[in-house]
Amino acid sequence: MGQLGELLQIHSAMQTKGSQDAGSLLSRSTLGNEFKWLMLQVLKLSDMDCSLSLDSVALSYGDELEASGLWKEAVFVFSTMHDEALVEEKIRSAVLSNAADFAHDGVDENSSLVKEYKVPLGLLHEACAIGNKCKGDMWGCAESYVTAGLWKDAHDTICDELGPSVVISEDAVLLARLESIISCFPEEGGIVPNWNQGAGFYAKYLDIMKAAEEHRTVETNDIVFLLENAAQVKTKKTFKQNVASKIVSKQIAELAIDHRDDIPDVPRKIQALAVGENEKVYFESRLHLCEVHLMS
């Protein structure tokens, strides 16, 4: 039977047996996926009780479009399926697989993806974050995660990349940018587990360093906070993170010694910091001069 015969058979089934049989015949036919899907839209079969057959047509056609690089068109086709979980899965996969597009062009909140295809705006910003990460723009990555409300991912990026970068560079512009990102977290970071050993730690450390540089008073409680949390700071320990960790530990130890009269058990707290043997000898000598000995 040729394609014309198949069309006549489908039309006959629609007239005599109903939409379910017509949809089943259509999905099994040798007609092209594009034609099948268009026919479903024209005949309004998608509104009738044959969703499994219709979804299989839309799924095949959407996959075909995506494989051809027409992923936005594929998103539209996927959106016509009835299985909501499958719709969400396929649209998410199509968008995230093309994250590089968003990293290059940004997110257009008035695009057809949002206005017509009803793709969640947060998903587009997540794709933008992933695209930025792939091209090495960790600042853009973190900012997009924040916009998407993906707080854990944004926090991980601060801990692994942005915090160490600012500690090492001491760049005022980057510091201001980091402070802006951190200020966006709900509940002052309380939404993220271990905030005080992550972004909260970097925020406090950088604030104290700024205060010391500007000859403002550094609160003893803030130094104690750094001493108690420094050893638990979340990090993957890359070379950059190791360098930043040593800088932070050295600065905290210096502050602790300067405020030793107001902080209990300074020697033990300094020992817990991530400093090398040379630094430990140096701080031991400083404490010795102050008549305070590091615990063995």
Side-chain angles (χ1 to χ4, degrees):
M1 181 186 299
Q3 290 188 342
L4 179 58
E6 288 183 302
L7 283 172
L8 292 173
Q9 189 178 41
I10 292 166
H11 182 266
S12 175
M14 181 69 180
Q15 299 300 316
T16 60
K17 297 181 180 180
S19 60
Q20 189 165 358
D21 282 355
S24 179
L25 283 172
L26 181 60
S27 66
R28 298 198 311 269
S29 73
T30 62
L31 299 168
N33 286 325
E34 179 180 7
F35 187 85
K36 288 182 187 180
W37 181 80
L38 288 171
M39 189 171 180
L40 291 174
Q41 311 313 305
V42 171
L43 296 178
K44 304 297 184 184
L45 291 179
S46 57
D47 296 330
M48 301 179 184
D49 187 24
C50 48
S51 59
L52 287 177
S53 298
L54 302 174
D55 280 6
S56 69
V57 171
L59 182 61
S60 296
Y61 182 39
D63 285 342
E64 186 179 298
L65 287 169
E66 189 176 359
S68 300
L70 301 172
W71 69 269
K72 292 181 181 178
E73 290 79 358
V75 165
F76 175 68
V77 172
F78 290 141
S79 71
T80 64
M81 297 190 296
H82 291 73
D83 186 333
E84 292 183 3
L86 185 58
V87 170
E88 182 178 348
E89 175 190 334
K90 294 300 294 184
I91 289 179
R92 178 175 176 80
S93 175
V95 170
L96 296 186
S97 295
N98 292 276
D101 290 4
F102 296 97
H104 182 268
D105 301 327
V107 174
D108 180 2
E109 298 188 2
N110 294 309
S111 69
S112 58
L113 287 171
V114 178
K115 296 296 186 181
E116 298 172 29
Y117 305 167
K118 307 303 180 185
V119 176
L121 194 54
L123 176 59
L124 302 187
H125 285 292
E126 181 183 0
C128 190
I130 292 171
N132 281 323
K133 183 176 183 178
C134 289
K135 72 175 187 178
D137 179 7
M138 303 311 296
W139 290 94
C141 172
E143 288 163 344
S144 292
Y145 276 140
V146 165
T147 306
L150 296 171
W151 304 112
K152 180 184 181 302
D153 295 299
H155 184 252
D156 288 347
T157 306
I158 291 170
C159 296
D160 296 340
E161 298 289 341
L162 309 189
S165 293
V166 174
V167 167
I168 294 170
S169 69
E170 299 181 345
D171 186 299
V173 174
L174 293 182
L175 171 57
R177 193 172 180 182
L178 178 59
E179 288 174 335
S180 176
I181 292 172
I182 289 175
S183 70
C184 294
F185 280 75
E187 303 172 24
E188 296 183 337
I191 194 172
V192 178
N194 302 318
W195 174 260
N196 287 344
Q197 293 80 44
F201 177 87
Y202 281 109
K204 182 69 71 178
Y205 168 79
L206 293 166
D207 185 57
I208 288 176
M209 289 299 102
K210 187 193 296 186
E213 183 179 339
E214 296 172 355
H215 304 291
R216 291 186 280 113
T217 300
V218 176
E219 298 295 332
T220 301
N221 287 342
D222 290 339
I223 300 172
V224 171
F225 172 89
L226 295 180
L227 283 167
E228 291 177 347
N229 289 286
Q232 304 172 63
V233 170
K234 180 188 180 303
T235 176
K236 293 180 179 177
K237 292 299 183 184
T238 63
F239 176 75
K240 177 169 66 176
Q241 291 158 351
N242 271 316
V243 171
S245 178
K246 290 187 181 300
I247 292 172
V248 167
S249 295
K250 183 177 184 300
Q251 295 286 11
I252 295 172
E254 294 280 8
L255 286 169
I257 292 174
D258 290 342
H259 293 75
R260 62 191 176 279
D261 293 338
D262 302 316
I263 301 174
D265 206 6
V266 167
R268 183 186 63 80
K269 288 182 169 72
I270 290 179
Q271 276 191 328
L273 296 173
V275 294
E277 289 304 316
N278 291 337
E279 288 82 2
K280 285 184 178 180
V281 171
Y282 165 75
F283 289 123
E284 187 172 343
S285 299
R286 280 205 61 191
L287 287 164
H288 180 73
L289 291 174
C290 300
E291 298 182 348
V292 179
H293 297 277
L294 283 172
M295 296 172 61
S296 58

